[in-house]
Amino acid sequence: MAIKTRQMQRSKNIRIKIVIPVCICQFLLCSIAIGTVQSQNLEEYKVKAAFVYNFTKLIQWPKTAFDSEMEPFKIAVFGNEDLKESFQTIDGKISAGRVISIRYPDPKGNDYKKMLADSQVVFISRHTRLEQALQILNSIGDRPVLTIGEVKNFSRAGGIIQFFTRDDYLHFEINIKNAEAHQLKFSSRLLKLAVIVDEK
């Protein structure tokens, strides 16, 4: 799975073109604008937010992950302002019959651990220090929470899905052992599109 990013210098402005192959459009199952944009980070995270949204459709959580059938699908996002604007594009959408609810926990806030405790997905951006990312993973423990990160070796340090770039293409890898430890089941369709990390 890949998303090609090309930089074009015009005058003093840098514009980024993100080209999304047909196979990725089919996977995302949503409309993503293709063209030049002013902010690379903003567009990049809109694409990643769309991926996260579709991950929720292709992964099965145990019943214990939700308090009721009507409980929202809560996604905790750690990062900067670009992430907040980008992840707003999926806030309020429906996945598996549940409303997506995006939250932005403050590690220094009083409700930080409570928000982690009742989240089903946690996205940790590269703007988060590795030390803090490890603290977040430790706080989650073995609860049925899908953890997604960008920092190097995230999936080998306890995370489940890790985005990474290779030859200007965006990919993601899945750590099967970590997923099973959190009682998460991935669809075969999703596994075929990922780089598999199996440390059994």
Side-chain angles (χ1 to χ4, degrees), residues 143-196:
R143 288 195 296 274
V145 177
L146 174 66
T147 51
I148 307 170
E150 303 179 292
V151 296
K152 187 176 181 180
N153 294 322
F154 178 81
S155 65
R156 291 166 176 78
I160 297 175
I161 293 181
Q162 177 184 326
F163 285 115
F164 67 96
T165 302
R166 179 185 297 158
D167 298 328
D168 293 331
Y169 283 87
L170 177 66
H171 305 262
F172 67 91
E173 63 182 31
I174 296 173
N175 188 308
I176 297 297
K177 180 180 179 181
N178 292 344
E180 291 177 348
H182 290 265
Q183 306 173 59
L184 302 180
K185 296 180 180 179
F186 288 72
S187 73
S188 57
R189 180 186 175 192
L190 181 59
L191 293 176
K192 288 178 182 179
L193 296 169
V195 174
I196 303 300

Side-chain angles (χ1 to χ4, degrees), residues 28-30 49-50 52-58 61 66 69-75 87-102:
L28 292 178
L29 304 176
C30 62
V52 172
Y53 170 63
N54 283 280
F55 287 156
T56 66
K57 296 182 176 182
L58 298 171
W61 273 257
F66 300 92
E69 293 184 0
M70 299 301 294
E71 184 182 1
F73 219 127
K74 297 182 286 294
I75 301 177
F87 274 82
Q88 284 302 112
T89 60
I90 67 172
D91 191 35
K93 286 191 173 184
I94 305 297
S95 175
R98 299 178 186 274
V99 177
I100 296 288
S101 175
I102 305 295

Side-chain angles (χ1 to χ4, degrees), residues 8-179:
M8 297 180 293
Q9 179 90 30
R10 291 182 178 179
S11 301
K12 294 183 180 180
N13 296 325
I14 298 177
R15 296 175 181 269
I16 308 300
K17 177 178 286 187
I18 296 183
V19 180
I20 305 178
V22 174
C23 63
I24 294 178
C25 288
Q26 292 175 341
F27 168 68
L28 292 178
L29 304 176
C30 62
S31 299
I32 299 176
I34 302 175
T36 58
V37 295
Q38 293 290 342
S39 170
Q40 179 183 11
N41 282 341
L42 182 60
E43 189 70 9
E44 173 190 348
Y45 282 115
K46 282 183 180 178
V47 173
K48 288 181 178 177
F51 269 74
V52 172
Y53 170 63
N54 283 280
F55 287 156
T56 66
K57 296 182 176 182
L58 298 171
I59 297 173
Q60 182 179 342
W61 273 257
K63 292 182 179 180
T64 55
F66 300 92
D67 291 332
S68 69
E69 293 184 0
M70 299 301 294
E71 184 182 1
F73 219 127
K74 297 182 286 294
I75 301 177
V77 178
F78 292 86
N80 62 12
E81 291 301 315
D82 285 335
L83 269 78
K84 291 185 178 181
E85 183 172 351
S86 298
F87 274 82
Q88 284 302 112
T89 60
I90 67 172
D91 191 35
K93 286 191 173 184
I94 305 297
S95 175
R98 299 178 186 274
V99 177
I100 296 288
S101 175
I102 305 295
R103 298 104 63 82
Y104 307 96
D106 179 0
K108 298 180 181 179
N110 295 328
D111 60 348
Y112 159 66
K113 289 189 176 180
K114 182 180 183 300
M115 290 182 71
L116 277 183
D118 64 0
S119 293
Q120 287 78 42
V121 180
V122 173
F123 181 89
I124 306 172
S125 80
R126 59 178 175 265
H127 306 289
T128 305
R129 293 181 293 104
L130 178 59
E131 179 182 357
Q132 187 178 75
L134 293 176
Q135 289 176 352
I136 294 170
L137 292 176
N138 288 334
S139 295
I140 292 171
D142 61 358
R143 288 195 296 274
V145 177
L146 174 66
T147 51
I148 307 170
E150 303 179 292
V151 296
K152 187 176 181 180
N153 294 322
F154 178 81
S155 65
R156 291 166 176 78
I160 297 175
I161 293 181
Q162 177 184 326
F163 285 115
F164 67 96
T165 302
R166 179 185 297 158
D167 298 328
D168 293 331
Y169 283 87
L170 177 66
H171 305 262
F172 67 91
E173 63 182 31
I174 296 173
N175 188 308
I176 297 297
K177 180 180 179 181
N178 292 344

